[in-house]
Amino acid sequence: MTIITDKMVFGGKSLGKIDGKNVFVPYTIPGEKIEIEITEQNKDYDNAEIVKILEPSEHRVEPKCHYYGKCGGCNMMHIDSAYQKLLRKQMLIDIFRQNGIDISDKTQIIDGPDFNYRARFQLNNGGLSQRKSNVVIPVEECLCAENAVNDYLKNTAEKSDSRPKGRCHLFGSSFCNNDFKIAVEENKNENSKKIHGVKGDKAKKLKLKENKYFSGTVSSPENTMTVTLGGHKLSFDIRGFFQSNLFVFEKVCRLITELLPGGKNILDMYAGCGSISTFLTEKYENVVLVEHNRDALVFAEQNMAGTKHISYGLSGANFVKSCVNTLPAFDACTIDPPRSGMEKEVRQWLAESNIPLIISLSCDPATHARDCAALISAGYKLKEMYLLDFYPNTSHIESLSLLERI
C-alpha cells in the first residue's frame, strides 16, 4: 500500500489519505512517497508504519542517534534541523487557526542548540522506555542531554545494571558549572526515597514525611540544585519541575523582560520556584506570585529574597476567588499554566480584569490557543507570538503570546 504524505500534524506524524480516509504515519516528512502497513484501523482514520521509503524528502537525514526509532523520546531526528523548526512553527500556526486565530505573520522562533541541550533527565530502571513498550533500553548516552548528564551515562554504561532501579531524576548543566545530582524514587507507595549525591557515588536511605498537599517532592538539601540564568541564581528541587532546556529558557526570560514596559505591580500566575518572577523584579516594583505547589514556593521565597514581592500558596482558582480583590491593580501579568491550560476561573477573571498586558506561556498549543481565543473574545489583541523551541528533534511545542488590552 502506497501513500504520499501531505502535511505534519501535532504529535509529529505525517498525514496522508487512502480512498479519502486519513492515515497517520510516524517518522515521515511531508511530500514523501511511502510504502506503508496499516497497524490500527478506526472509523475516521488509520495509523500506519513505514515499510519502505520510495521517494524521500530532500529534508530527510540520517539520524545521529543509534537508539532513534526504538527510544520513545525523539521523533523528528530524521529531518534536518532547519526544516524541523519550520514544521513545528506550521503545526503551531495550524492549531491556532483551528481556534480562529491567524498567527502566520506574527510567529517568531526562539531556539538554541539542536543537541546536548537537556539538563533535566529521567531514567526508568536504569534506561529509557522503548517506543510503544515497557521495555527498558540501557543507554550509554543521549544526544539531547547536556554533557554533565552524558558523563554519568557513559561512566555507568558498562555497569548499567547497577544503576538505580525505579524512576530516577537526573540534573546536570553548564549553567551550574556542570554540577550533577541524581535522586531516585524506588517505590511510589513507600515513604522512603533513595538519594544519590553529586556524581551518584554514594547512596543513603532517608525516611521522609509524605507530602499530601502536592504529588511532587519534599524539600531536601541532597536534591537542591542552583543554576544561574541571566545573572539570577535560581534554586529548586530536582524531583520537582524545572525547565529542561536552560539555553532557550534564559532567552525566554530575557525576552519577557524586553516585552514588558515596567511599572508598579505585576502578577506571575503559576509561578513555580519563581524562575520568571526573579526577572520581573528588574522591571516592576512589586511582584505577586501565585503557585499551588507550596514546596516550589519555598524555593521561590529563597530565589526572591531581597525583593519586594507577595507569595500566595494557592491554586489559581482559589486565588481569584479569595485574594485578588484585596490587591492593587496590576500593570501586567505573566502566566505559565500546566499542560491543561488556565483554570476556567483564572481565564474568566483575566478576560474581565482589564490588565493592560498579558504574557501567556504554554507547553500545550491546543490549550494555549483555547485560552488566547477566550482573551481575544474579551477584548484583547494578540500582538506577538513565539514558538519556544525547547525540544529539538521532537514534535513537542511550547509557545509564548503577548496580548494587549484594546
Side-chain angles (χ1 to χ4, degrees):
M1 191 175 295
T2 302
I3 191 172
I4 296 177
T5 52
D6 178 33
K7 64 183 293 186
M8 184 166 284
V9 298
F10 183 55
K13 296 180 180 180
S14 291
L15 168 66
K17 290 182 181 293
I18 295 179
D19 298 328
K21 189 176 184 181
N22 289 336
V23 180
F24 298 97
V25 192
Y27 302 110
T28 53
I29 307 174
E32 291 188 317
K33 187 175 183 180
I34 308 285
E35 183 181 339
I36 62 168
E37 178 184 3
I38 301 296
T39 57
E40 180 185 353
Q41 291 184 316
N42 298 280
K43 181 179 179 181
D44 299 321
Y45 69 93
D46 292 339
N47 286 316
E49 296 286 345
I50 298 172
V51 174
K52 185 178 181 180
I53 301 171
L54 303 175
E55 296 179 10
S57 165
E58 62 179 341
H59 299 291
R60 180 171 284 275
V61 297
E62 186 66 27
K64 296 181 179 181
C65 177
H66 55 275
Y67 305 111
Y68 187 64
K70 299 176 183 177
C71 165
C74 296
N75 62 352
M76 293 183 74
M77 199 180 284
H78 61 285
I79 308 171
D80 71 68
S81 294
Y83 193 53
Q84 281 187 40
K85 292 177 174 61
L86 294 179
L87 289 173
R88 286 190 285 271
K89 178 180 176 180
Q90 189 59 53
M91 284 187 270
L92 181 64
I93 291 170
D94 289 345
I95 290 171
F96 269 74
R97 184 178 289 123
Q98 292 166 13
N99 285 266
I101 307 170
D102 183 6
I103 60 170
S104 55
D105 62 345
K106 295 184 176 72
T107 305
Q108 303 175 54
I109 300 175
I110 306 297
D111 60 6
D114 294 319
F115 297 95
N116 302 121
Y117 61 80
R118 189 176 183 116
R120 189 167 62 91
F121 206 78
Q122 289 185 9
L123 295 178
N124 180 31
N125 288 329
L128 300 176
S129 297
Q130 185 170 304
R131 176 177 174 246
K132 294 184 176 180
S133 170
N134 292 324
V135 174
V136 173
I137 304 172
V139 293
E140 298 179 4
E141 67 171 340
C142 174
L143 297 184
C144 296
E146 277 211 53
N147 293 332
V149 173
N150 270 325
D151 286 344
Y152 169 79
L153 296 177
K154 291 174 184 176
N155 292 336
T156 58
E158 294 183 1
K159 49 180 180 178
S160 59
D161 288 346
S162 66
R163 289 177 184 168
K165 304 302 180 184
R167 188 180 182 188
C168 172
H169 303 266
L170 314 179
F171 197 98
S173 175
S174 58
F175 287 83
C176 53
N177 297 319
N178 287 316
D179 192 10
F180 176 81
K181 289 191 177 181
I182 174 171
V184 183
E185 298 178 16
E186 285 195 287
N187 191 330
K188 293 181 180 180
N189 296 322
E190 295 180 359
N191 290 342
S192 64
K193 308 284 184 181
K194 188 176 182 181
I195 311 300
H196 286 238
V198 175
K199 301 301 180 187
D201 22 79
K202 291 185 179 179
K204 60 180 179 179
K205 285 278 190 174
L206 295 181
K207 291 293 182 179
L208 300 176
K209 185 179 179 180
E210 184 71 17
N211 183 347
K212 301 296 184 183
Y213 185 83
F214 180 71
S215 60
T217 61
V218 181
S219 298
S220 63
E222 292 88 348
N223 299 309
T224 297
M225 182 68 80
T226 300
V227 300
T228 301
L229 293 180
H232 296 275
K233 285 190 174 182
L234 301 169
S235 296
F236 55 94
D237 192 308
I238 65 170
R239 293 169 296 174
F241 174 77
F242 194 78
Q243 199 41 264
S244 298
N245 187 334
L246 303 186
F247 300 96
V248 174
F249 188 52
E250 185 176 52
K251 290 182 179 181
V252 171
C253 291
R254 188 52 61 204
L255 171 66
I256 290 171
T257 59
E258 291 171 356
L259 292 173
L260 291 167
K264 289 187 176 181
N265 299 297
I266 187 167
L267 173 65
D268 189 13
M269 289 288 298
Y270 310 104
C273 69
S275 50
I276 293 176
S277 301
T278 58
F279 283 82
L280 301 180
T281 61
E282 298 178 12
K283 286 288 193 77
Y284 291 85
E285 296 177 16
N286 180 51
V287 181
V288 176
L289 295 77
V290 179
E291 171 56 54
H292 84 287
N293 177 0
R294 295 178 185 175
D295 290 332
L297 210 55
V298 169
F299 284 101
E301 284 299 304
Q302 296 176 21
N303 296 330
M304 294 290 286
T307 67
K308 187 178 179 182
H309 68 281
I310 307 172
S311 297
Y312 290 88
L314 299 168
S315 69
N318 286 334
F319 171 76
V320 167
K321 291 176 184 176
S322 59
C323 301
V324 73
N325 290 331
T326 66
L327 295 169
F330 294 109
D331 300 311
C333 171
T334 55
I335 182 165
D336 187 8
R339 191 174 300 277
S340 55
M342 301 178 194
E343 296 157 276
K344 62 181 181 180
E345 296 88 348
V346 173
R347 186 168 58 244
Q348 183 177 348
W349 171 74
L350 279 178
E352 300 169 354
S353 68
N354 287 319
I355 295 175
L357 204 63
I358 297 173
I359 291 181
S360 175
L361 294 88
S362 175
C363 59
D364 186 283
T367 57
H368 195 191
R370 177 203 68 195
D371 294 339
C372 284
L375 294 175
I376 290 169
S377 296
Y380 281 88
K381 182 177 181 180
L382 200 159
K383 299 284 289 185
E384 297 185 39
M385 173 63 69
Y386 297 87
L387 166 66
L388 309 180
D389 207 31
F390 278 111
Y391 300 101
N393 301 306
T394 80
S395 58
H396 184 79
I397 294 173
E398 302 204 12
S399 50
L400 180 152
S401 59
L402 175 68
L403 297 121
E404 193 175 81
R405 191 75 187 182
I406 300 174

